[in-house]
Amino acid sequence: MAKENKCLLQYLQICVLLVLTACGGTGANNPNTETGTGTSPEPVFTSTEAARFLTHATFGPRSAEISALRNASPSQWYRQQAALTPSLLSPVVAEFANRAPFRTLWRFSVTFGFWRNTITAQDQLRQRMAFALSELLVVSNSGGEVLRDVPDALAYFEDLLIANAFGNYRDILELVTYSPAMGYFLTYQGNLPADPNTGRMPDENYARELLQLFTIGVIELNTDGTPKLDANGQMVETYSNNDITGLAKVFTGLVLDGDISEDLAEQEFIAAQSFAYSRPMLTIANQHSTDEKTFLGMTIPAATNARQSIGAALDHIFAHANVGPFVGRQIIQRLVSSHPSTHYVERVATAFNQGSYQLPDGSLTGTGRRGDLAATVAAVLFDDEALNLGNDRMGRVREPILRFTHWARAFNVKNVTAEYVTDLYDTSEVTVLGQHPYGAPSVFNFFRPGYKAPGSVTGAQGLTAPELQITNASSIPSYVNFMEFFVTGKQAFTDIDDLQREFDDRQIDLGANQALDSFLPDYSIELNLADSPAALLDHLDLLLTYGTLSTPTRESIIDTLTLIPIATDEERRLRVHTAILMLMTAPDYLVSQ
Amino acid sequence: MIRREFLKTGSAALALASMGGAVTALSAMQAQAADTTGYKALVCVFLFGGMDNYDTIIPYDSTSYQRWAQIRASLVNAQGTTRQRAQLRPLTPSNQNDFGARRFALPPEFSGIHQLFQSGDAAIVGNVGPLIEPTTAAQFEDQTVSLPLRLFSHNDQQSTWMSGATEGAQFGWGGLFSDQQFSAGANSSTTFANITTGGNELFLTGPQTAPYNVTNDGAVLPYVIDNEDLSPSVRDRLVAHFRGEAYGQPSLLGRDLANKMRSAYDANAQYNQAAGTVVLNSAFPESGLGRQLQIVARTIAARHQLGTRRQIFGVSLGGFDTHDNQAASLPALQQQVDAAVVAFHTSMVDLGLNNDVTLFTASDFGRTLALNGDGTDHGWGGHHFVIGGGVNGQRIIGDIPPADFGHALDAGSGRLIPTMAVDQYAAQLGQWYGLNASELVGVFPQLGKFSPVASIFA
């Protein structure tokens, strides 16, 4: 193997290692915020404002967190969150690799890690931002094969996003480009240059999606996210197919860093795969296109090597004015609002472009370098449009994954051990949640940022509503059934013998009896309020809908609860279960205003 | 039977009259409408990712085959013997004369569809894709022709196939077809006119028609409403809740959710009542597409109970974006399509509906003839199957451009410039479905720009 730029490569690997490990201990990757409080008097949150903010910034508020944030400094909360040690997936993968002699658990370990970290970890804002990025820079293991069989690949990729959630988008693009998971998913791992003798052309997959989905999109944008129009009032496409064929040459000569020979014994083969998929891909000189590479008005001269070509190409693409509004609008959509105003998009894009943002207490966050995500996410969360109840056109449909994590956090579920809950291994089917972390059907995610639901009120108004793409006559009742299982604590009634047989059949090395305690909610507060449906609804309205529950829905739930007698503990539980199930399946909850 | 059909039409007219008092207008439309009698269904099998046209219809005469096998040598080698000429399934179309010495074959994975073709129940429609106007390679290169926007982009070309416009479009031609048939009185309601198992919503949506989503196992209802620990009065309230009845906020998204909850609940309950007990005599494969087409067949079997005489179904299969590993992945997909489609055809014959149901394929685009190593990249025009007793079978309709580079329909690397617009393909399906000429022009305003093509239907 002719390896080019070995020392640069080592440098890059060290960088990645630093990013992945050092930010835990030293905070090297924390946003560059001025220490101490800022100079401006900072407005404090009411309880409902705190709950609203935490709905955007976490995987669902808990009562204690709402109390802690009320009357505290939101800027300080943000800085503290950004300084927390990242909770990564790789350690979970390692844990299951060690624990299970058979591979089933290990293959699903990224999923277990996702549920564990997003529900229990302290670094909630980082986790939430990384999840948003995972729906923009999509890699999915839904196709099975290597990305399922080698969980290290997805763990390494998602850990890049987690570790760099407050880093820089340009750096992420570099890390993503060299990641074996993306190389596999978008099929440029092992991509070869053109061969005039056979007519072979470089694979165009990554070149196209890098432009269309990860950086600039298909039409020229103003900073506020609206399309730029030409002299004839027409939208302007950002690239042609010639740009794609030109750019495709850049992503040739990238291969796994490790020898994976089919001749290895099984355990060694698995270990070799894990090794190679947990580090950046290598560049190989004789597999990289030596042609001139022309795209988007740039020409990389003939005979430029892979690493230089990739660096130059990413710099050039990243310099495009679309990146700020294109990325910024999608982060708003993931955290706050499906159809943000153009002003909101412009403010966020400006923070992205300036690389800094002034927090409510007057301090600055961000390094000042364009693409700074600490500044971008702060601009998203602290915008007036995020902090205040908007008009009728605003809000977003909560993603099914976030509804479930919200329930698990709000009711402090015991034992977040998804390995005992087979329903949580894969929630992507429409008859389950219709969504699974890192399990999108394709690089286009579960829903598109530009989706306008046909035949809907929002669609008729031209409003984008991505999550409506997975909202239909099958997903609506299936979600109710999924939630009913967990809300009513059916885990506690698991047929242990059945489950043990299933574990044994699937070579899952677990004792089924622990399933009884997994994901069991703690309703002690709610049970104490069960005598008074109104008080119970006040409590749930803060915890689940930050005070936005409408009077008719509230009265409908109270009337229903009142019909349930409360003579026994069983009936008391029934009231609580019914209240939570009804609230979490009401439009008032499903759409966060 | 005739009396029942008459009664249905009568009640549809009544329902519309009570909504808008439009009896006169409705009668006028019925007079013009080409056909609302009997039962007819279209089934769209959308192959997501872009099916490789060069591995769908394979050149079979020796010269063309040799050239194809040379260009695709590494892929042909990687597939073992299955792409050897002797292994292919040669087509003997009744219009072979249109192609002179050029002959064509299907890959062995399509052996079931091959039989349907040979027996006259399947047609091949060649080189279909989005077009604004007739286009040549020179015009494409010189940019002297109006082109569909965002060619080669998955989501936009899927959207363009379904609706004629890029992502964000609101209505598809399947939706508009059903709207027309509803207006003409063929269906008494739009609830079960258009049905999807997921992924084709745009295609199936019209101003009046919203697609109904059904799972492979039928309709889903909240289990909790059957929970006997709850009193009937509580369960009644839960039903009202799950129908979104209480919601009264002005939020547009909230209204969408509440509307969807209500229509979902009502349709699911009605569907289960109508189709819950249907048992089919014929078997389907357990594959994803097999199970989708099975629920389509079950739904068709329950057409009377569902109150529909015109239906359009959308099913789909992903994985056709074969940038790499095509030698392993594509044959498995082809096999799945073949087995599922043949089972569906058998089932329609069994129900006595072979002449009344037409299945057709669609896909984002075709692919490059050039390889990128072990796969192919995004193309434009592609070849498709139309299957059913009503089809002008054992014919290749349209063009199969040569598997070579540099000809007048090569947009680069063998990406085919379509010679039949999606509009033309769709309009023929619409005509069979029952729309008349003026209604079709209403759905496809560009239709007049293209020269007429041979008829897909007998």
mmCIF file of all heavy atoms in Angstrom, chain A residues 187 200-201 204-205 208 212 237 392 448 452 454 457-458 473-474 481 552 582 585, chain B residues 150 153 155 167 170 213 221-223 241 246 252 256 268 323 371-372 377-378 415:
data_model
loop_
_atom_site.group_PDB
_atom_site.id
_atom_site.type_symbol
_atom_site.label_atom_id
_atom_site.label_comp_id
_atom_site.label_asym_id
_atom_site.label_seq_id
_atom_site.Cartn_x
_atom_site.Cartn_y
_atom_site.Cartn_z
ATOM 1 N N THR A 187 -20.815 4.978 -0.262
ATOM 2 C CA THR A 187 -20.160 4.121 -1.268
ATOM 3 C C THR A 187 -18.907 4.710 -1.917
ATOM 4 O O THR A 187 -18.602 4.391 -3.045
ATOM 5 C CB THR A 187 -21.166 3.725 -2.393
ATOM 6 O OG1 THR A 187 -21.606 4.893 -3.074
ATOM 7 C CG2 THR A 187 -22.363 2.990 -1.831
ATOM 8 N N ARG A 200 -15.022 3.211 -16.990
ATOM 9 C CA ARG A 200 -15.381 3.365 -15.573
ATOM 10 C C ARG A 200 -15.254 4.820 -15.141
ATOM 11 O O ARG A 200 -14.299 5.496 -15.517
ATOM 12 C CB ARG A 200 -14.473 2.484 -14.720
ATOM 13 C CG ARG A 200 -14.844 2.502 -13.240
ATOM 14 C CD ARG A 200 -13.822 1.750 -12.401
ATOM 15 N NE ARG A 200 -12.544 2.432 -12.395
ATOM 16 C CZ ARG A 200 -11.363 1.818 -12.340
ATOM 17 N NH1 ARG A 200 -11.306 0.504 -12.289
ATOM 18 N NH2 ARG A 200 -10.239 2.518 -12.334
ATOM 19 N N MET A 201 -16.230 5.290 -14.362
ATOM 20 C CA MET A 201 -16.228 6.660 -13.832
ATOM 21 C C MET A 201 -16.202 6.587 -12.305
ATOM 22 O O MET A 201 -16.680 5.616 -11.737
ATOM 23 C CB MET A 201 -17.496 7.391 -14.261
ATOM 24 C CG MET A 201 -17.769 7.390 -15.754
ATOM 25 S SD MET A 201 -16.626 8.458 -16.641
ATOM 26 C CE MET A 201 -17.305 10.067 -16.216
ATOM 27 N N GLU A 204 -20.324 8.783 -7.867
ATOM 28 C CA GLU A 204 -20.749 10.176 -7.654
ATOM 29 C C GLU A 204 -21.580 10.372 -6.387
ATOM 30 O O GLU A 204 -22.021 11.483 -6.094
ATOM 31 C CB GLU A 204 -21.582 10.640 -8.862
ATOM 32 C CG GLU A 204 -20.797 10.625 -10.152
ATOM 33 C CD GLU A 204 -21.686 10.773 -11.389
ATOM 34 O OE1 GLU A 204 -22.906 10.916 -11.231
ATOM 35 O OE2 GLU A 204 -21.136 10.730 -12.501
ATOM 36 N N ASN A 205 -21.794 9.304 -5.665
ATOM 37 C CA ASN A 205 -22.770 9.336 -4.580
ATOM 38 C C ASN A 205 -22.441 10.394 -3.528
ATOM 39 O O ASN A 205 -23.260 11.240 -3.197
ATOM 40 C CB ASN A 205 -22.804 7.936 -3.936
ATOM 41 C CG ASN A 205 -24.117 7.620 -3.261
ATOM 42 O OD1 ASN A 205 -25.066 8.394 -3.348
ATOM 43 N ND2 ASN A 205 -24.175 6.491 -2.586
ATOM 44 N N ARG A 208 -22.483 14.122 -4.706
ATOM 45 C CA ARG A 208 -23.830 14.689 -4.865
ATOM 46 C C ARG A 208 -24.471 14.994 -3.516
ATOM 47 O O ARG A 208 -24.976 16.093 -3.297
ATOM 48 C CB ARG A 208 -24.703 13.712 -5.653
ATOM 49 C CG ARG A 208 -26.092 14.227 -5.967
ATOM 50 C CD ARG A 208 -26.916 13.191 -6.719
ATOM 51 N NE ARG A 208 -26.242 12.736 -7.925
ATOM 52 C CZ ARG A 208 -26.251 13.399 -9.070
ATOM 53 N NH1 ARG A 208 -26.881 14.550 -9.162
ATOM 54 N NH2 ARG A 208 -25.620 12.913 -10.130
ATOM 55 N N GLN A 212 -25.867 18.392 -1.986
ATOM 56 C CA GLN A 212 -27.320 18.530 -1.894
ATOM 57 C C GLN A 212 -27.827 18.514 -0.459
ATOM 58 O O GLN A 212 -28.732 19.270 -0.109
ATOM 59 C CB GLN A 212 -28.015 17.418 -2.691
ATOM 60 C CG GLN A 212 -29.540 17.513 -2.592
ATOM 61 C CD GLN A 212 -30.274 16.495 -3.449
ATOM 62 O OE1 GLN A 212 -29.671 15.819 -4.265
ATOM 63 N NE2 GLN A 212 -31.568 16.393 -3.249
ATOM 64 N N GLU A 237 -30.085 27.215 -9.679
ATOM 65 C CA GLU A 237 -29.545 25.955 -9.163
ATOM 66 C C GLU A 237 -28.070 26.139 -8.791
ATOM 67 O O GLU A 237 -27.330 26.853 -9.467
ATOM 68 C CB GLU A 237 -29.733 24.834 -10.192
ATOM 69 C CG GLU A 237 -31.221 24.590 -10.492
ATOM 70 C CD GLU A 237 -31.537 23.207 -11.029
ATOM 71 O OE1 GLU A 237 -30.612 22.450 -11.337
ATOM 72 O OE2 GLU A 237 -32.744 22.885 -11.135
ATOM 73 N N ASP A 392 -49.700 31.201 14.853
ATOM 74 C CA ASP A 392 -50.339 29.942 14.448
ATOM 75 C C ASP A 392 -49.494 29.117 13.486
ATOM 76 O O ASP A 392 -49.721 27.934 13.327
ATOM 77 C CB ASP A 392 -51.673 30.227 13.741
ATOM 78 C CG ASP A 392 -52.600 31.013 14.616
ATOM 79 O OD1 ASP A 392 -52.310 31.117 15.825
ATOM 80 O OD2 ASP A 392 -53.600 31.534 14.099
ATOM 81 N N ARG A 448 -37.901 14.933 5.271
ATOM 82 C CA ARG A 448 -37.074 15.902 4.586
ATOM 83 C C ARG A 448 -37.310 17.299 5.159
ATOM 84 O O ARG A 448 -38.454 17.640 5.486
ATOM 85 C CB ARG A 448 -37.436 15.900 3.094
ATOM 86 C CG ARG A 448 -37.183 14.556 2.421
ATOM 87 C CD ARG A 448 -35.721 14.427 2.030
ATOM 88 N NE ARG A 448 -35.334 15.521 1.179
ATOM 89 C CZ ARG A 448 -34.347 16.377 1.445
ATOM 90 N NH1 ARG A 448 -33.630 16.256 2.525
ATOM 91 N NH2 ARG A 448 -34.071 17.356 0.632
ATOM 92 N N LYS A 452 -43.458 19.434 2.581
ATOM 93 C CA LYS A 452 -44.722 20.131 2.832
ATOM 94 C C LYS A 452 -45.809 19.087 2.664
ATOM 95 O O LYS A 452 -45.934 18.489 1.602
ATOM 96 C CB LYS A 452 -44.905 21.268 1.828
ATOM 97 C CG LYS A 452 -43.819 22.339 1.927
ATOM 98 C CD LYS A 452 -43.905 23.323 0.769
ATOM 99 C CE LYS A 452 -42.740 24.321 0.869
ATOM 100 N NZ LYS A 452 -42.687 25.207 -0.305
ATOM 101 N N PRO A 454 -48.726 17.105 1.660
ATOM 102 C CA PRO A 454 -49.806 17.278 0.685
ATOM 103 C C PRO A 454 -51.169 17.183 1.365
ATOM 104 O O PRO A 454 -51.362 16.398 2.286
ATOM 105 C CB PRO A 454 -49.606 16.105 -0.283
ATOM 106 C CG PRO A 454 -48.191 15.676 -0.102
ATOM 107 C CD PRO A 454 -47.875 15.959 1.341
ATOM 108 N N VAL A 457 -53.356 21.549 6.038
ATOM 109 C CA VAL A 457 -53.513 22.991 6.245
ATOM 110 C C VAL A 457 -52.158 23.687 6.093
ATOM 111 O O VAL A 457 -52.043 24.711 5.420
ATOM 112 C CB VAL A 457 -54.095 23.259 7.655
ATOM 113 C CG1 VAL A 457 -54.277 24.748 7.881
ATOM 114 C CG2 VAL A 457 -55.421 22.518 7.838
ATOM 115 N N THR A 458 -51.127 23.102 6.707
ATOM 116 C CA THR A 458 -49.801 23.725 6.602
ATOM 117 C C THR A 458 -49.283 23.660 5.166
ATOM 118 O O THR A 458 -48.683 24.614 4.673
ATOM 119 C CB THR A 458 -48.783 23.031 7.536
ATOM 120 O OG1 THR A 458 -48.863 21.614 7.350
ATOM 121 C CG2 THR A 458 -49.060 23.364 8.986
ATOM 122 N N ALA A 473 -52.138 7.272 8.927
ATOM 123 C CA ALA A 473 -53.168 6.459 9.587
ATOM 124 C C ALA A 473 -52.597 5.224 10.272
ATOM 125 O O ALA A 473 -53.246 4.646 11.140
ATOM 126 C CB ALA A 473 -54.235 6.040 8.576
ATOM 127 N N SER A 474 -51.396 4.810 9.896
ATOM 128 C CA SER A 474 -50.770 3.680 10.591
ATOM 129 C C SER A 474 -49.888 4.152 11.750
ATOM 130 O O SER A 474 -49.884 3.551 12.819
ATOM 131 C CB SER A 474 -49.917 2.864 9.612
ATOM 132 O OG SER A 474 -50.725 2.337 8.587
ATOM 133 N N ASN A 481 -50.185 2.887 20.758
ATOM 134 C CA ASN A 481 -49.984 1.554 21.322
ATOM 135 C C ASN A 481 -48.586 1.392 21.918
ATOM 136 O O ASN A 481 -48.413 0.757 22.962
ATOM 137 C CB ASN A 481 -50.234 0.492 20.244
ATOM 138 C CG ASN A 481 -51.709 0.440 19.853
ATOM 139 O OD1 ASN A 481 -52.571 0.843 20.636
ATOM 140 N ND2 ASN A 481 -51.986 -0.031 18.650
ATOM 141 N N PRO A 552 -59.851 23.089 26.119
ATOM 142 C CA PRO A 552 -60.707 21.946 25.744
ATOM 143 C C PRO A 552 -60.030 20.594 25.954
ATOM 144 O O PRO A 552 -60.664 19.663 26.452
ATOM 145 C CB PRO A 552 -60.980 22.182 24.250
ATOM 146 C CG PRO A 552 -60.718 23.621 24.015
ATOM 147 C CD PRO A 552 -59.657 24.023 24.988
ATOM 148 N N MET A 582 -53.284 10.120 27.554
ATOM 149 C CA MET A 582 -54.109 11.077 26.801
ATOM 150 C C MET A 582 -53.324 12.339 26.479
ATOM 151 O O MET A 582 -53.362 12.834 25.352
ATOM 152 C CB MET A 582 -55.382 11.423 27.587
ATOM 153 C CG MET A 582 -56.406 10.303 27.612
ATOM 154 S SD MET A 582 -57.936 10.753 28.496
ATOM 155 C CE MET A 582 -58.781 11.751 27.254
ATOM 156 N N THR A 585 -50.769 11.890 23.735
ATOM 157 C CA THR A 585 -51.299 11.577 22.404
ATOM 158 C C THR A 585 -52.227 12.680 21.903
ATOM 159 O O THR A 585 -52.881 12.521 20.871
ATOM 160 C CB THR A 585 -52.071 10.242 22.415
ATOM 161 O OG1 THR A 585 -53.084 10.283 23.428
ATOM 162 C CG2 THR A 585 -51.136 9.069 22.709
ATOM 163 N N ARG B 150 -33.523 19.787 -11.429
ATOM 164 C CA ARG B 150 -32.853 18.875 -10.492
ATOM 165 C C ARG B 150 -32.836 17.425 -10.969
ATOM 166 O O ARG B 150 -33.175 16.501 -10.230
ATOM 167 C CB ARG B 150 -33.481 18.926 -9.110
ATOM 168 C CG ARG B 150 -33.987 20.293 -8.748
ATOM 169 C CD ARG B 150 -33.570 20.778 -7.418
ATOM 170 N NE ARG B 150 -34.543 21.700 -6.866
ATOM 171 C CZ ARG B 150 -34.847 22.881 -7.382
ATOM 172 N NH1 ARG B 150 -34.270 23.285 -8.504
ATOM 173 N NH2 ARG B 150 -35.740 23.647 -6.807
ATOM 174 N N SER B 153 -31.270 14.026 -9.024
ATOM 175 C CA SER B 153 -31.407 14.118 -7.565
ATOM 176 C C SER B 153 -32.569 13.220 -7.126
ATOM 177 O O SER B 153 -33.688 13.356 -7.625
ATOM 178 C CB SER B 153 -31.657 15.580 -7.177
ATOM 179 O OG SER B 153 -32.482 15.664 -6.039
ATOM 180 N N ASN B 155 -34.653 12.698 -4.391
ATOM 181 C CA ASN B 155 -35.945 13.135 -3.865
ATOM 182 C C ASN B 155 -36.696 13.977 -4.886
ATOM 183 O O ASN B 155 -37.916 13.879 -5.002
ATOM 184 C CB ASN B 155 -35.758 13.908 -2.556
ATOM 185 C CG ASN B 155 -34.828 15.088 -2.711
ATOM 186 O OD1 ASN B 155 -33.866 15.043 -3.483
ATOM 187 N ND2 ASN B 155 -35.090 16.155 -2.003
ATOM 188 N N GLU B 167 -39.303 18.517 -5.124
ATOM 189 C CA GLU B 167 -39.718 18.359 -3.726
ATOM 190 C C GLU B 167 -40.502 19.570 -3.212
ATOM 191 O O GLU B 167 -40.113 20.700 -3.451
ATOM 192 C CB GLU B 167 -38.480 18.166 -2.845
ATOM 193 C CG GLU B 167 -38.833 17.952 -1.389
ATOM 194 C CD GLU B 167 -37.597 17.685 -0.552
ATOM 195 O OE1 GLU B 167 -37.150 16.548 -0.546
ATOM 196 O OE2 GLU B 167 -37.090 18.639 0.063
ATOM 197 N N GLN B 170 -47.435 19.465 -4.071
ATOM 198 C CA GLN B 170 -48.574 19.131 -3.209
ATOM 199 C C GLN B 170 -49.464 18.013 -3.755
ATOM 200 O O GLN B 170 -50.099 17.313 -2.989
ATOM 201 C CB GLN B 170 -49.420 20.389 -2.982
ATOM 202 C CG GLN B 170 -48.732 21.403 -2.093
ATOM 203 C CD GLN B 170 -48.614 20.896 -0.664
ATOM 204 O OE1 GLN B 170 -49.589 20.807 0.065
ATOM 205 N NE2 GLN B 170 -47.419 20.534 -0.266
ATOM 206 N N ASN B 213 -53.167 5.258 4.613
ATOM 207 C CA ASN B 213 -52.005 4.396 4.857
ATOM 208 C C ASN B 213 -52.447 3.150 5.595
ATOM 209 O O ASN B 213 -53.116 3.231 6.621
ATOM 210 C CB ASN B 213 -50.964 5.161 5.688
ATOM 211 C CG ASN B 213 -49.684 4.373 5.873
ATOM 212 O OD1 ASN B 213 -49.671 3.322 6.502
ATOM 213 N ND2 ASN B 213 -48.600 4.875 5.307
ATOM 214 N N LEU B 221 -55.637 0.046 15.311
ATOM 215 C CA LEU B 221 -56.440 0.891 16.202
ATOM 216 C C LEU B 221 -55.790 0.877 17.579
ATOM 217 O O LEU B 221 -55.064 -0.065 17.912
ATOM 218 C CB LEU B 221 -57.871 0.357 16.302
ATOM 219 C CG LEU B 221 -58.766 0.653 15.100
ATOM 220 C CD1 LEU B 221 -60.055 -0.160 15.162
ATOM 221 C CD2 LEU B 221 -59.086 2.144 15.026
ATOM 222 N N PRO B 222 -56.017 1.908 18.393
ATOM 223 C CA PRO B 222 -55.442 1.889 19.746
ATOM 224 C C PRO B 222 -56.008 0.714 20.549
ATOM 225 O O PRO B 222 -57.217 0.564 20.657
ATOM 226 C CB PRO B 222 -55.891 3.230 20.345
ATOM 227 C CG PRO B 222 -56.198 4.096 19.171
ATOM 228 C CD PRO B 222 -56.713 3.165 18.107
ATOM 229 N N TYR B 223 -55.110 -0.114 21.076
ATOM 230 C CA TYR B 223 -55.566 -1.266 21.864
ATOM 231 C C TYR B 223 -56.389 -0.837 23.074
ATOM 232 O O TYR B 223 -57.276 -1.553 23.519
ATOM 233 C CB TYR B 223 -54.366 -2.075 22.401
ATOM 234 C CG TYR B 223 -53.390 -2.547 21.366
ATOM 235 C CD1 TYR B 223 -52.011 -2.498 21.608
ATOM 236 C CD2 TYR B 223 -53.817 -3.075 20.147
ATOM 237 C CE1 TYR B 223 -51.093 -2.950 20.669
ATOM 238 C CE2 TYR B 223 -52.911 -3.537 19.204
ATOM 239 C CZ TYR B 223 -51.559 -3.466 19.472
ATOM 240 O OH TYR B 223 -50.653 -3.906 18.545
ATOM 241 N N HIS B 241 -61.169 11.196 22.107
ATOM 242 C CA HIS B 241 -59.823 11.772 22.238
ATOM 243 C C HIS B 241 -58.940 11.364 21.060
ATOM 244 O O HIS B 241 -58.274 12.207 20.453
ATOM 245 C CB HIS B 241 -59.204 11.309 23.554
ATOM 246 C CG HIS B 241 -57.745 11.611 23.674
ATOM 247 N ND1 HIS B 241 -57.281 12.870 23.993
ATOM 248 C CD2 HIS B 241 -56.641 10.840 23.470
ATOM 249 C CE1 HIS B 241 -55.953 12.856 24.005
ATOM 250 N NE2 HIS B 241 -55.537 11.644 23.690
ATOM 251 N N ALA B 246 -61.323 17.000 20.802
ATOM 252 C CA ALA B 246 -61.294 18.114 21.749
ATOM 253 C C ALA B 246 -60.471 19.286 21.251
ATOM 254 O O ALA B 246 -60.625 20.405 21.714
ATOM 255 C CB ALA B 246 -60.736 17.626 23.098
ATOM 256 N N LEU B 252 -51.748 25.796 13.137
ATOM 257 C CA LEU B 252 -52.002 25.092 11.877
ATOM 258 C C LEU B 252 -51.490 23.655 11.956
ATOM 259 O O LEU B 252 -52.150 22.731 11.483
ATOM 260 C CB LEU B 252 -51.325 25.820 10.714
ATOM 261 C CG LEU B 252 -51.736 27.278 10.489
ATOM 262 C CD1 LEU B 252 -51.084 27.820 9.222
ATOM 263 C CD2 LEU B 252 -53.239 27.436 10.406
ATOM 264 N N ASP B 256 -53.612 20.214 11.646
ATOM 265 C CA ASP B 256 -53.242 19.086 10.781
ATOM 266 C C ASP B 256 -53.239 17.783 11.565
ATOM 267 O O ASP B 256 -53.738 16.758 11.100
ATOM 268 C CB ASP B 256 -51.848 19.318 10.173
ATOM 269 C CG ASP B 256 -51.899 20.196 8.927
ATOM 270 O OD1 ASP B 256 -52.996 20.324 8.345
ATOM 271 O OD2 ASP B 256 -50.855 20.742 8.549
ATOM 272 N N ASN B 268 -59.473 3.628 9.808
ATOM 273 C CA ASN B 268 -58.973 2.352 10.330
ATOM 274 C C ASN B 268 -60.120 1.473 10.825
ATOM 275 O O ASN B 268 -60.146 0.265 10.572
ATOM 276 C CB ASN B 268 -57.968 2.592 11.465
ATOM 277 C CG ASN B 268 -56.623 3.084 10.950
ATOM 278 O OD1 ASN B 268 -56.227 2.776 9.824
ATOM 279 N ND2 ASN B 268 -55.909 3.858 11.764
ATOM 280 N N HIS B 323 -25.040 2.152 -6.140
ATOM 281 C CA HIS B 323 -23.732 2.752 -6.421
ATOM 282 C C HIS B 323 -22.616 1.732 -6.250
ATOM 283 O O HIS B 323 -21.550 1.884 -6.838
ATOM 284 C CB HIS B 323 -23.470 3.932 -5.473
ATOM 285 C CG HIS B 323 -24.264 5.142 -5.787
ATOM 286 N ND1 HIS B 323 -23.921 6.018 -6.770
ATOM 287 C CD2 HIS B 323 -25.402 5.616 -5.236
ATOM 288 C CE1 HIS B 323 -24.808 7.004 -6.814
ATOM 289 N NE2 HIS B 323 -25.720 6.783 -5.893
ATOM 290 N N LEU B 371 -19.769 1.929 -15.514
ATOM 291 C CA LEU B 371 -19.625 1.472 -14.128
ATOM 292 C C LEU B 371 -18.750 2.455 -13.364
ATOM 293 O O LEU B 371 -17.928 3.165 -13.943
ATOM 294 C CB LEU B 371 -18.993 0.084 -14.100
ATOM 295 C CG LEU B 371 -19.772 -1.026 -14.790
ATOM 296 C CD1 LEU B 371 -19.033 -2.356 -14.642
ATOM 297 C CD2 LEU B 371 -21.181 -1.134 -14.223
ATOM 298 N N ASN B 372 -18.911 2.459 -12.036
ATOM 299 C CA ASN B 372 -18.037 3.291 -11.206
ATOM 300 C C ASN B 372 -17.134 2.395 -10.367
ATOM 301 O O ASN B 372 -16.651 2.816 -9.335
ATOM 302 C CB ASN B 372 -18.872 4.210 -10.321
ATOM 303 C CG ASN B 372 -19.765 3.444 -9.362
ATOM 304 O OD1 ASN B 372 -19.502 2.277 -9.068
ATOM 305 N ND2 ASN B 372 -20.806 4.079 -8.870
ATOM 306 N N ASP B 377 -24.213 4.870 -11.430
ATOM 307 C CA ASP B 377 -24.657 6.151 -10.884
ATOM 308 C C ASP B 377 -26.000 6.582 -11.469
ATOM 309 O O ASP B 377 -26.547 5.925 -12.341
ATOM 310 C CB ASP B 377 -23.574 7.200 -11.094
ATOM 311 C CG ASP B 377 -22.446 7.049 -10.076
ATOM 312 O OD1 ASP B 377 -22.703 7.351 -8.905
ATOM 313 O OD2 ASP B 377 -21.349 6.588 -10.450
ATOM 314 N N HIS B 378 -26.472 7.708 -10.964
ATOM 315 C CA HIS B 378 -27.813 8.185 -11.299
ATOM 316 C C HIS B 378 -27.958 8.485 -12.785
ATOM 317 O O HIS B 378 -27.124 9.174 -13.357
ATOM 318 C CB HIS B 378 -28.129 9.463 -10.519
ATOM 319 C CG HIS B 378 -28.049 9.295 -9.036
ATOM 320 N ND1 HIS B 378 -28.366 10.299 -8.154
ATOM 321 C CD2 HIS B 378 -27.690 8.233 -8.272
ATOM 322 C CE1 HIS B 378 -28.202 9.865 -6.914
ATOM 323 N NE2 HIS B 378 -27.790 8.623 -6.961
ATOM 324 N N ARG B 415 -26.290 7.838 -19.515
ATOM 325 C CA ARG B 415 -27.566 8.282 -18.922
ATOM 326 C C ARG B 415 -28.532 8.544 -20.080
ATOM 327 O O ARG B 415 -28.254 9.384 -20.934
ATOM 328 C CB ARG B 415 -27.378 9.578 -18.149
ATOM 329 C CG ARG B 415 -26.482 9.480 -16.947
ATOM 330 C CD ARG B 415 -26.275 10.856 -16.307
ATOM 331 N NE ARG B 415 -25.603 10.726 -15.028
ATOM 332 C CZ ARG B 415 -24.283 10.735 -14.860
ATOM 333 N NH1 ARG B 415 -23.471 10.882 -15.893
ATOM 334 N NH2 ARG B 415 -23.765 10.596 -13.656
#
